[in-house]
Amino acid sequence: AHLFVIRNNGIRAYDVVSGEEVGSVNPSGVQFLNGMGSMSSDAGDFLVVSAFQAGRLHKIDVTSPANMTSEVLVASTGTTPNGVTIVDGQAYVVNWGNNADILQVDVATGEMTVVVNGTGLGNCDGIDYANGAFVVSSWSPQRITQFAEGTWEATTLVQGSPLSSPADLSINAGGDMYAVACRGNNTVYFGPLLDVSALEPIHVPATEATMTGEGLTLSTDVAGRWML
């Protein structure tokens, strides 16, 4: 198994047991490599890496970590691309700037589509996927937002303190927890995830729901006993 790291505008591969560097590749013409997504397929193992300042996406073949190769997947996104995650051969890219878009890019062909034309979020940084939804971090507002796949309906998971410039974001293998590195205060924030595909709407009179640091708090002015 190998760990792939962006370092000094290059990609480094490390053996996860020994910690030794086993290979590297430096894509040409980049100044700020930023986000990274990974995938394995019958064609091999690949990374998609965003070049922040150049507005470019690079495809890195890491099938042989000692002999990695790089090619340009999208020469110009027309945006400032940041975080990347890959789902079923499609790279999803969040972007810096006001009312930032979310892009979808076919990893095999480089064909690009704007799947969310204006998220209402500024300076999106990290993105990952689990349970039929994408989780996105943004700096303006400082928020973690969940977007349902297909409909792209947005749900706020947490906003404001203790988040501080939430950056790169990852979801655990179980799909029930995310972690985001907060650049503003050098901390890592951990938050729970709901399985949106398993949710069933019910109607409860005059009910309010609030997401807290410990979970979801429900309250109602109607007397009675409720079961969830």
Side-chain angles (χ1 to χ4, degrees):
H2 295 88
L3 173 69
F4 298 95
V5 177
I6 297 173
R7 179 185 174 199
N8 295 332
N9 288 319
I11 310 297
R12 305 289 187 264
Y14 294 90
D15 186 290
V16 296
V17 176
S18 67
E20 294 182 358
E21 182 176 324
V22 297
S24 65
V25 63
N26 291 81
S28 61
V30 300
Q31 297 178 347
F32 186 1
L33 290 182
N34 197 351
M36 177 192 296
S38 63
M39 65 171 280
S40 294
S41 68
D42 293 340
D45 302 325
F46 299 93
L47 306 175
V48 173
V49 180
S50 62
F52 188 86
Q53 292 180 333
R56 187 183 303 150
L57 298 177
H58 292 266
K59 179 179 178 181
I60 315 296
D61 188 335
V62 297
T63 307
S64 173
N67 298 284
M68 296 182 289
T69 60
S70 172
E71 63 179 285
V72 175
L73 181 64
V74 177
S76 176
T77 61
T79 63
T80 306
N82 206 334
V84 183
T85 192
I86 303 177
V87 182
D88 296 331
Q90 302 294 313
Y92 294 85
V93 184
V94 293
N95 296 274
W96 206 247
N98 296 326
N99 196 24
D101 298 341
I102 299 178
L103 311 177
Q104 176 182 319
V105 178
D106 189 294
V107 179
T109 66
E111 181 180 356
M112 188 179 78
T113 305
V114 178
V115 291
V116 180
N117 186 9
T119 58
L121 304 172
N123 297 340
C124 294
D125 199 319
I127 182 172
D128 207 350
Y129 174 87
N131 305 319
F134 294 87
V135 180
V136 173
S137 61
S138 63
W139 289 30
S140 181
Q142 300 197 75
R143 179 187 294 173
I144 306 298
T145 306
Q146 189 174 58
F147 290 91
E149 185 178 16
T151 66
W152 296 98
E153 181 178 354
T155 302
T156 298
L157 298 183
V158 63
Q159 180 169 321
S161 180
L163 298 177
S164 180
S165 302
D168 294 335
L169 182 147
S170 293
I171 297 174
N172 67 351
D176 60 357
M177 182 75 67
Y178 67 88
V180 59
C182 293
R183 185 180 185 275
N185 57 9
N186 293 321
T187 63
V188 178
Y189 177 81
F190 295 86
L193 281 179
L194 295 175
D195 183 351
V196 295
S197 64
L199 297 181
E200 179 181 349
I202 60 172
H203 298 285
V204 180
T207 301
E208 294 184 357
T210 305
M211 183 67 73
T212 70
E214 297 179 351
L216 185 68
T217 300
L218 297 177
S219 60
T220 178
D221 294 332
V222 179
R225 182 176 178 178
W226 306 93
M227 181 175 294
L228 300 180

